[in-house]
Amino acid sequence: AQPLGSADPCTALIEHRPVVLAANKKDKIPFYHGEALQPGNIIPGPAIVVRDDTTILIGKNDEAKVDAFSNLLVEIGDLR
């Protein structure tokens, strides 16, 4: 386990890219490099985490947290 650090994931930010999340609506959302996230980082949705082996969509009402073991825990928000 590693100690939890800052909640700010800015060191893992790749860039903001336009993504269609709803019919005919394009939003610019942040893309993060998954392997660069640190324990304690919190990512509010919408966002995309790009890892070497997968891509994870954090929905607009969701929140992702990096735990002390560098796991990405996604809390699913209200679906309405």
Side-chain angles (χ1 to χ4, degrees), residues 4 18 20-22 24 35 39 45 55-56 58 63 66 73 75 78:
L4 298 181
V20 177
L21 295 174
N24 299 320
E35 285 79 10
T55 301
I56 304 161
I58 311 301
E63 182 178 78
V66 182
L73 308 175
E75 206 170 294
D78 190 352

Side-chain angles (χ1 to χ4, degrees), residues 8-15 31-38 41 43 48:
D8 186 359
C10 71
T11 59
L13 181 65
I14 299 169
E15 66 181 336
F31 278 61
Y32 294 95
H33 183 250
E35 285 79 10
L37 292 168
Q38 300 294 313
N41 287 168
I43 302 170
I48 292 182

Side-chain angles (χ1 to χ4, degrees), residues 14-22 24-31 46-48 57:
I14 299 169
E15 66 181 336
H16 286 74
R17 297 180 188 166
V19 174
V20 177
L21 295 174
N24 299 320
K25 187 166 189 294
K26 216 183 255 191
D27 292 312
K28 271 193 150 183
I29 66 170
F31 278 61
I48 292 182
L57 171 65

Side-chain angles (χ1 to χ4, degrees), residues 48-69:
I48 292 182
V49 176
V50 180
R51 295 186 52 91
D52 291 341
D53 61 347
T54 192
T55 301
I56 304 161
L57 171 65
I58 311 301
K60 73 174 191 163
N61 297 318
D62 304 340
E63 182 178 78
K65 297 178 183 177
V66 182
D67 72 6
F69 297 95

